[in-house]
Amino acid sequence: MSSSSTTTTTTRLLMLKASDGVTFEVEEAVATKLGAINNMVEEEGSEDLICLPNVNGKFLGMVLEWCKKHANNNTNSDKGNDEVNKWWDKEFVMDLDQNTLYHLLMAADYLSGTELVDLLTEKVASMIRGKKVEEIRETFKIKSDFLPGQEEEIRKKNSWAFE
Amino acid sequence: MEHQENQVEQFHDHDITMSYFSALPEELISLILSKTSARDACRFSAVSSQFRSATESDLVWEKFLPSNYSEIISRCDSTFASKKHFYLSVFQSTIYLDNDTKVRRITQVEKCFMGCNPKASM
């Protein structure tokens, strides 16, 4: 076990093991962008190998890719970093299909990656905004499970929202 | 870091025809809706009854209220079952403030001033 300092200047490497056995060697400063990893690392005598049974390798890789970009951008000179991060975030979520979006969001939530959860929920929100009820159902393949008349009642109650 | 090269999806937990959105935990659905608008959240409540509690959540509706909403609530003469109830009361009916015998209504202008008029562009 290497000495465990929690400052961001250490180059301690962590080994993250996904549910399917895929492992990632990541700098501590990158992995600790995830709250769950940060908590584990802060425990005294923590192991360098961290098993994450709820995330598979594909999505853990994507989460870590995001962490790495943000960790790098944040250590560069300050000005313009927000812009760089924003641009990169936009690219990151641009072409995600719903399957990937779902698994990434679940992974980010499980790993307490608050900023990433924010980014992904914002992406989903953008897929809802301004859409009609039928369009939302179509977008997310949701089947209505209302009893006859129930939907009408909801529409009537807040008719301004359905104008 | 390796990723994305594996195009073959192997998921056993979800059928391809199933809605991924429906599989999200309630808190995440509420978080998503809190980033939309009152109009979107109302519409979403008509999508399917499975989202009922997520769309009613205070987590969602407090985001649509002005930051000083708790002060306004404390001055109201009536009580509200939820943040959604408060929000809709402000805009759909009359609410009375400060126990005023002259019956002080929140006017439409004030509602706009409060910054949470659902008819405004969102």
Side-chain angles (χ1 to χ4, degrees):
Chain A
M1 235 51 34
S2 62
S3 70
S4 62
S5 159
T6 51
T7 61
T8 48
T9 51
T10 74
T11 50
R12 179 186 176 187
L13 290 175
L14 298 172
M15 193 69 95
L16 305 186
K17 192 175 178 186
S19 60
D20 50 1
V22 179
T23 56
F24 296 86
E25 200 176 44
V26 196
E27 283 182 24
E28 184 181 1
V30 171
T32 51
K33 288 205 72 82
L34 303 166
I37 307 277
N38 194 42
N39 289 344
M40 288 181 219
V41 168
E42 278 184 347
E43 275 173 35
E44 220 167 304
S46 63
E47 304 267 340
D48 289 345
L49 174 68
I50 295 175
C51 293
L52 301 165
N54 288 343
V55 192
N56 87 11
K58 178 184 172 184
F59 301 109
L60 181 57
M62 291 180 80
V63 170
L64 291 173
E65 184 191 355
W66 182 89
C67 291
K68 201 174 171 186
K69 270 282 192 272
H70 276 253
N72 287 345
N73 288 343
N74 289 343
T75 53
N76 290 341
S77 60
D78 43 319
K79 278 221 166 167
N81 270 340
D82 274 0
E83 285 307 306
V84 174
N85 280 340
K86 262 187 215 155
W87 178 84
W88 198 80
D89 279 351
K90 215 173 144 187
E91 291 283 302
F92 187 75
V93 297
M94 191 179 284
D95 296 321
L96 295 179
D97 58 56
Q98 287 192 32
N99 176 339
T100 311
L101 194 51
Y102 167 80
H103 284 95
L104 259 185
L105 182 50
M106 293 298 280
D109 187 48
Y110 165 68
L111 295 165
S112 311
T114 320
E115 283 175 71
L116 184 54
V117 168
D118 255 350
L119 174 68
L120 297 168
T121 49
E122 171 57 37
K123 165 74 179 178
V124 183
S126 75
M127 297 160 75
I128 294 173
R129 280 190 212 112
K131 284 205 170 88
K132 293 182 177 135
V133 174
E134 297 75 15
E135 292 170 331
I136 295 171
R137 284 189 192 127
E138 203 183 311
T139 301
F140 297 105
K141 294 191 183 121
I142 298 166
K143 283 202 184 93
S144 167
D145 57 1
F146 284 119
L147 298 172
Q150 280 183 329
E151 186 184 334
E152 265 318 295
E153 209 175 297
I154 291 173
R155 284 174 183 264
K156 245 185 244 163
K157 222 167 151 190
N158 294 303
S159 57
W160 59 270
F162 300 91
E163 280 160 13
Chain B
M1 266 172 282
E2 64 213 82
H3 67 279
Q4 279 173 332
E5 56 266 300
N6 184 5
Q7 290 298 313
V8 184
E9 312 279 26
Q10 292 184 313
F11 301 109
H12 313 291
D13 50 348
H14 291 111
D15 193 89
I16 196 76
T17 57
M18 150 170 198
S19 167
Y20 285 102
F21 193 97
S22 303
L24 288 171
E26 189 182 310
E27 312 85 69
L28 285 179
I29 294 180
S30 292
L31 181 59
I32 289 163
L33 292 175
S34 77
K35 296 176 180 197
T36 63
S37 67
R39 185 191 296 270
D40 291 318
C42 276
R43 285 184 185 178
F44 205 90
S45 66
V47 168
S48 176
S49 72
Q50 60 184 300
F51 305 121
R52 192 186 146 78
S53 56
T55 55
E56 298 286 311
S57 166
D58 281 354
L59 278 176
V60 175
W61 289 85
E62 71 183 359
K63 290 284 168 57
F64 306 147
L65 291 166
S67 53
N68 63 337
Y69 73 84
S70 42
E71 190 223 319
I72 300 170
I73 290 182
S74 69
R75 286 169 56 200
C76 284
D77 298 344
S78 42
T79 54
F80 303 97
S82 65
K83 304 261 162 58
K84 180 182 184 182
H85 180 208
F86 173 62
Y87 185 99
L88 295 176
S89 302
V90 169
F91 294 109
Q92 294 187 321
S93 55
T94 307
I95 62 166
Y96 302 102
L97 291 184
D98 301 332
N99 221 0
D100 197 328
T101 45
K102 280 176 279 174
V103 186
R104 180 177 139 76
R105 295 173 53 161
I106 293 195
T107 65
Q108 197 59 41
V109 175
E110 285 170 294
K111 287 174 190 178
C112 294
F113 188 69
M114 283 163 65
C116 52
N117 185 351
K119 310 267 160 125
S121 62
M122 285 173 295

